Amino acid sequence: MSEDVKRRAPKEHTTDPHSRLSVQPKMQLMDHGDGSHSSHDEPAAERSGMKRLSTLWSSFRPGKKDRLKDVPESPVEPGPAEPLEREPRVIRGQYFFEYLVVVSLVKSGGGYEPQISYQFPKRDGMGRSQKEEEEKILKAITLFCFPEGIDWAPMTEYQSETFSFVLTEVDGSRKNGYCRRLLPKGNKACPPEAYCIISKLACFGLFSKIFDEVEKRRQKSMAMIYPFMQKLRESPFPAPGNSVEIKSHIPESGTEIIKLTRPLDSWLEHVNFATLCGCLSNQEILLVFAAAVLERRIVFIAEELGTLSQVAHAVSALLYPFTWQHTLISIVPSILIDVVMAPTPYLLGVQKKMVDLIDDKCDMLLVDLSENRTETFIASIGDEGSILPPKLHDEILLALENKKEKATVEEWNRVVSEAFLGFFVKTVGHYASYLTSSGGAEARRTFQSRAFYKSIKSNTTRHFVKKFMQTQMFDIFIQEAEQRQSGTHQGIFHQKIQEYQNNRKAEKKKR
């Protein structure tokens, strides 16, 4: 490869969620969109692992005769999350959710099988193909609501937990799954049940509050849930910083007015950095970020599903304005544990009891998030501490120290996000100056990659940027910038760039 970083031809984002799940079609060496071919330079061990993984994922495809038993054909949690600047996360006036499903554990053979026991509202009047896709999505939901498999037993005590996952449909559209697992109130021992809300809206904190209301009603009567959900579904999703009030009647308590407020910083409403910061020290977060920014294989280990889902999505969000372009499964179901064999980049969340199933721990960052851990990094490549430029590394650490222990989720999110956003502003924020066009205002622009990184004065920063330019996330970001017309609205990243450049100009004038 020449000193000028090798550029790939612009491509449309894949609409095949199956290929996005196994190996991202944007990878330079492999294109396993149909599970068919790899680079001849690929090591034999990697080809073997990829063959097993491709075989596993091929069971999700329609038309496969010998599918894995009980594995849904529908796509599950995909790779790249939609970048925050590309399109609005929500449209004001949109429904809060599409439907609520209740997943119960039903005795089957030697264990318990998760099954849909209720769906609200019922989706009638669908054509055959729509109905088939609906059934695939519902089966995938059961898999993610109870990723542990069939190993369950009746119990009298169970701590409720909330977590999330993402589903991708055949057309590439994305849906968020929010899940609350709880133990129904009663004297009889029974397995937990899961309440899962499917929505196109990404707002984890808001849906957690909704589940608090669902659980409160479930402990009285199942029948009390559905009038509340109907009122919620009829309510428009509020604008950032605004609230919606829902009246709900509870016997013996009267009519309640439930106020649901959407965070003012809507671009952060899908993430909770407080969980990440509670599990890892500031220095450990930086090591994870360094591995993620160079698109390495990262596996998080924890006992709680909520911890896994929140940390995986939080790490992905640290990369803003860039988007993780590879496999991201915040909670890996036991039946899909072979995904850890993939030689390509991923962000995975694995329950601690399945950690022994990870045979090969080479070339990955294996992060233990559990409270009783003896070491945080079970496996690592070893160079994570030297990836980031030292000065900028220290600046992030200093910014993270401004977190207040008793801060709100919104305050945590603002401090953490701005620390890492500032890192990208200072390393690559000058990229727009190196987008040139030879035609008129609507002509496609071209990124001058060599001039871009050569303009960086700091040797350590230039060394980092040269590596970062070879990632998929940077490549896609630049491709989109080349296609975007100059002067169009570009979001908070570009606001921060402008603020940074204005501050530098003001400092120069003072001198």
Side-chain angles (χ1 to χ4, degrees), residues 287-288 291 296-301 355 358-368 375-384:
L287 294 177
V288 173
R296 294 182 174 179
R297 302 193 304 161
I298 304 174
V299 179
F300 297 106
I301 303 295
V355 70
I358 304 176
D359 297 325
D360 185 2
K361 299 181 176 65
C362 297
D363 297 324
M364 71 165 60
L365 188 65
L366 187 58
V367 189
D368 192 349
E375 58 180 341
T376 300
F377 299 109
I378 300 173
S380 66
I381 294 178
D383 66 342
E384 292 84 0

Side-chain angles (χ1 to χ4, degrees), residues 214-445:
V214 169
E215 184 168 2
K216 182 167 68 175
R217 285 157 178 74
R218 176 63 183 96
Q219 300 307 347
K220 293 181 178 291
S221 169
M222 176 82 82
M224 294 177 58
I225 295 174
Y226 309 116
F228 167 71
M229 296 304 293
Q230 180 63 39
K231 289 280 184 69
L232 180 67
R233 194 168 187 274
E234 293 170 353
S235 302
F237 198 69
N242 290 358
S243 302
V244 63
E245 293 185 348
I246 299 169
K247 290 184 179 180
S248 178
H249 180 75
I250 299 180
E252 302 175 1
S253 300
T255 300
E256 291 185 351
I257 297 179
I258 301 155
K259 187 176 182 179
L260 299 171
T261 303
R262 187 176 168 197
L264 186 60
D265 293 331
S266 59
W267 67 286
L268 292 173
E269 63 189 350
H270 68 298
V271 69
N272 181 350
F273 286 124
T275 302
L276 173 66
C277 296
C279 292
L280 300 176
S281 68
N282 293 342
Q283 180 61 43
E284 289 169 342
I285 291 172
L286 276 172
L287 294 177
V288 173
F289 172 73
V293 83
L294 290 189
E295 296 182 335
R296 294 182 174 179
R297 302 193 304 161
I298 304 174
V299 179
F300 297 106
I301 303 295
E303 295 167 349
E304 300 83 7
L305 299 178
T307 298
L308 289 175
S309 68
Q310 291 183 41
V311 168
H313 289 295
V315 170
S316 176
L318 292 178
L319 302 172
Y320 176 82
F322 302 92
T323 303
W324 181 259
Q325 296 292 331
H326 306 278
T327 301
L328 193 165
I329 310 179
S330 61
I331 300 171
V332 178
S334 59
I335 196 171
L336 303 180
I337 191 62
D338 277 359
V339 70
V340 299
M341 296 185 303
T344 51
Y346 52 58
L347 286 175
L348 305 178
V350 174
Q351 287 181 282
K352 192 163 188 177
K353 61 184 178 182
M354 293 194 292
V355 70
D356 292 337
L357 299 177
I358 304 176
D359 297 325
D360 185 2
K361 299 181 176 65
C362 297
D363 297 324
M364 71 165 60
L365 188 65
L366 187 58
V367 189
D368 192 349
L369 304 172
S370 55
E371 293 183 4
N372 61 345
R373 62 180 182 258
T374 56
E375 58 180 341
T376 300
F377 299 109
I378 300 173
S380 66
I381 294 178
D383 66 342
E384 292 84 0
S386 61
I387 291 173
L388 305 180
K391 182 181 178 182
L392 297 180
H393 171 280
D394 294 343
E395 287 182 3
I396 298 176
L397 278 180
L398 185 62
L400 292 178
E401 289 175 1
N402 291 326
K403 302 190 309 294
K404 298 177 182 178
E405 292 299 325
K406 296 184 179 179
T408 64
V409 171
E410 289 78 11
E411 289 171 336
W412 277 78
N413 283 356
R414 193 174 301 113
V415 170
V416 175
S417 63
E418 289 187 357
F420 288 91
L421 188 58
F423 171 82
F424 287 119
V425 167
K426 293 172 182 177
T427 52
V428 297
H430 59 299
Y431 80 94
S433 300
Y434 296 89
L435 289 168
T436 62
S437 60
S438 55
E442 297 184 0
R444 177 187 173 87
R445 297 184 293 175

Side-chain angles (χ1 to χ4, degrees), residues 16 50 81 94 97 135 146 175 193 201 232 265 283 290 301 322 363 390 401 471 491:
D16 180 0
M50 181 52 63
Q94 192 172 352
F97 68 98
E135 290 173 354
F146 290 97
K175 294 182 179 181
E193 59 189 16
L201 309 174
L232 180 67
D265 293 331
Q283 180 61 43
I301 303 295
F322 302 92
D363 297 324
E401 289 175 1
T471 64

Side-chain angles (χ1 to χ4, degrees), residues 89-264:
R89 282 189 171 273
V90 297
I91 301 173
R92 191 166 63 179
Q94 192 172 352
Y95 282 136
F96 265 87
F97 68 98
E98 292 188 15
Y99 48 88
L100 164 77
V101 296
V102 180
V103 182
S104 303
L105 290 169
V106 179
K107 187 75 173 176
S108 176
Y112 284 82
E113 179 183 355
Q115 295 181 1
I116 303 287
S117 57
Y118 192 89
Q119 179 179 342
F120 171 82
K122 296 289 186 183
R123 293 164 69 88
D124 301 320
M126 293 188 296
R128 181 178 176 181
S129 61
Q130 288 179 310
K131 192 172 182 180
E132 289 177 351
E133 288 304 316
E134 179 85 356
E135 290 173 354
K136 295 172 187 176
I137 290 176
L138 291 176
K139 197 159 189 179
I141 289 172
T142 65
L143 186 68
F144 281 100
C145 285
F146 290 97
E148 300 91 339
I150 64 173
D151 189 18
W152 287 92
M155 56 188 70
T156 56
E157 293 184 0
Y158 180 79
Q159 181 67 44
S160 300
E161 55 185 333
T162 307
F163 53 95
S164 64
F165 53 89
V166 181
L167 299 171
T168 299
E169 297 189 86
V170 172
D171 63 358
S173 61
R174 298 163 58 83
K175 294 182 179 181
N176 300 283
Y178 303 96
C179 185
R180 170 71 62 91
R181 293 203 316 203
L182 56 88
L183 195 66
K185 188 176 181 180
N187 298 322
K188 186 179 179 181
C190 63
E193 59 189 16
Y195 290 76
C196 184
I197 294 175
I198 301 300
S199 175
K200 292 183 179 179
L201 309 174
C203 191
F204 182 84
L206 202 59
F207 281 96
S208 294
K209 295 175 183 176
I210 291 170
F211 277 129
D212 291 341
E213 298 298 329
V214 169
E215 184 168 2
K216 182 167 68 175
R217 285 157 178 74
R218 176 63 183 96
Q219 300 307 347
K220 293 181 178 291
S221 169
M222 176 82 82
M224 294 177 58
I225 295 174
Y226 309 116
F228 167 71
M229 296 304 293
Q230 180 63 39
K231 289 280 184 69
L232 180 67
R233 194 168 187 274
E234 293 170 353
S235 302
F237 198 69
N242 290 358
S243 302
V244 63
E245 293 185 348
I246 299 169
K247 290 184 179 180
S248 178
H249 180 75
I250 299 180
E252 302 175 1
S253 300
T255 300
E256 291 185 351
I257 297 179
I258 301 155
K259 187 176 182 179
L260 299 171
T261 303
R262 187 176 168 197
L264 186 60

